[in-house]
């Protein structure tokens, strides 16, 4: 018969094993992520922050994709007030550029992946830079994110 101490040790051991497995699985899922510095701008009375990321996975056919994120600072932005368009670079040259899409509801952050046709499956050096937009009541202002550092796949 298992006593309370043995049951507790078994439960703690199982929990530790689950956490180690989850961390290992996450690390294997995306081998590398590089993010740009934050950029800041104001439009339509809202202060925004934007940045880009590039994700690679050498274990999955050297997959690489770009992400662009924009968020209002200290508030949420109404539907249609934020837009983002990711750009994926291969060896320093533009490989694929996504088109602008816009938040469809009031949100505190909006992110866009490059289109599925832009996911690349070959070993290379990758980077990302995105473009973001903010609504001022009559038109959109546009801002680039900073470029990410290079990321190998």
């Amino acid at each position: 018969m298992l006593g309370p101490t043995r049951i507790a040790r078994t439960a703690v051991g199982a929990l530790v094993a689950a956490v180690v497995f989850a961390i290992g699985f996450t690390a294997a899922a995306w081998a590398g992520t590089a993010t740009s510095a934050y950029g800041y701008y104001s439009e339509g009375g809202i202060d925004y922050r934007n940045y880009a990321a590039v994700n690679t996975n050498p274990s999955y056919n050297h997959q690489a994709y770009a992400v662009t994120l924009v968020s209002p600072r200290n508030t949420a932005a109404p539907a249609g007030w934020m837009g983002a368009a990711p750009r994926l670079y291969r060896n320093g040259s533009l490989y694929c550029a996504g088109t602008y899409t816009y938040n469809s509801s009031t949100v505190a952050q909006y992110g866009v992946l490059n289109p599925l046709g832009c996911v690349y499956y070959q070993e290379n050096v990758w980077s990302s830079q995105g473009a973001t937009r903010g609504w001022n009541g009559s038109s959109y202002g546009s801002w680039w994110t900073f470029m990410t550092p290079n990321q190998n796949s």
Side-chain angles (χ1 to χ4, degrees):
M1 179 168 168
L2 296 175
T5 304
R6 174 97 182 204
I7 292 172
R9 277 192 229 148
T10 303
V12 168
L15 178 61
V16 168
V19 169
V20 168
F21 175 78
I23 291 169
F25 182 76
T26 302
W30 288 106
T33 300
T35 58
S36 71
Y38 292 127
Y40 299 94
Y41 60 93
S42 294
E43 190 68 47
I46 297 177
D47 294 327
Y48 292 95
R49 177 179 76 176
N50 67 11
Y51 67 100
V54 61
N55 298 291
T56 63
N57 185 357
S59 300
Y60 187 69
N61 298 322
H62 299 282
Q63 187 179 52
Y65 71 90
V67 182
T68 298
L69 297 107
V70 58
S71 58
R73 300 180 69 203
N74 304 319
T75 188
W81 279 49
M82 293 185 294
R87 297 164 61 97
L88 182 63
Y89 292 80
R90 180 180 65 194
N91 297 319
S93 297
L94 181 63
Y95 170 69
C96 188
T99 58
Y100 278 102
T101 61
Y102 300 88
N103 62 308
S104 59
S105 61
T106 299
V107 293
Q109 180 168 310
Y110 184 65
V112 179
L113 298 173
N114 57 270
L116 287 177
C118 291
V119 175
Y120 196 77
Y121 297 94
Q122 184 178 345
E123 188 171 353
N124 263 299
V125 177
W126 300 98
S127 57
S128 171
Q129 180 182 34
T132 61
R133 287 183 173 170
W135 182 252
N136 64 21
S138 60
S139 63
Y140 286 99
S142 300
W143 292 267
W144 290 106
T145 67
F146 290 106
M147 182 72 78
T148 67
N150 289 335
Q151 179 69 38
N152 294 321
S153 68

